[in-house]
Amino acid sequence: VQLQASGGGLVQAGDSLRLSCAASGLMISNNVLAWFRQGPGKERELVAASDWASGSTFYGAAVLGRFTISRDNPKNIVYLQMNSLKPEDTAVYYCAIDTRCVHNCPRRDPVHYDSWGQGTLVTVSS
């Protein structure tokens, strides 16, 4: 399984940005997909995760109402739409997939995610 994240860049506070994560080697439609981020000097945190099989979606408190996770099954791509960006959203964003979740999906602990993209940097200036 390979995940290729893209779409990061330098934006101003209040702007929007859409990240993409293209998957190869498996179909995303039956798995849990997530976006994590790691800011300077911070631990990796879960931003958004979705289990499309059950319809369950999780958003971190810091991004709830501003970010949206979605997918394009035919293209095998998962997106993260980020609106009303803030300087504190500055981080490297990683997409990840959990292929083994069967209960309480999506899971929040990064240890459960078995494949990761390379990360894409988002910088939000004030």
Side-chain angles (χ1 to χ4, degrees):
V1 178
Q2 288 190 329
L3 301 175
Q4 182 73 35
S6 62
L10 173 63
V11 297
Q12 293 185 333
D15 285 352
S16 297
L17 205 58
R18 189 179 76 164
L19 305 183
S20 300
C21 178
S24 59
L26 85 171
M27 299 305 296
I28 65 172
S29 56
N30 296 323
N31 293 287
V32 172
L33 271 293
W35 287 95
F36 290 81
R37 69 184 181 185
Q38 188 164 15
K42 298 181 181 180
E43 294 186 353
R44 189 169 297 192
E45 65 171 333
L46 178 60
V47 174
S50 189
D51 174 33
W52 284 285
S54 66
S56 297
T57 302
F58 170 84
Y59 290 98
V63 306
L64 185 63
R66 299 188 297 123
F67 290 13
T68 303
I69 187 171
S70 63
R71 63 173 175 164
D72 185 327
N73 279 343
K75 294 183 179 179
N76 221 30
I77 296 176
V78 61
Y79 301 102
L80 183 69
Q81 178 66 43
M82 306 185 294
N83 298 329
S84 302
L85 283 161
K86 304 175 181 180
E88 50 263 44
D89 293 319
T90 294
V92 177
Y93 285 72
Y94 301 89
C95 56
I97 188 167
D98 178 0
T99 62
R100 297 166 293 182
C101 189
V102 292
H103 296 295
N104 299 318
C105 307
R107 295 186 285 191
R108 304 181 186 183
D109 193 327
V111 299
H112 297 300
Y113 290 78
D114 39 298
S115 293
W116 292 78
Q118 83 286 5
T120 185
L121 176 62
V122 174
T123 303
V124 185
S125 64
S126 58

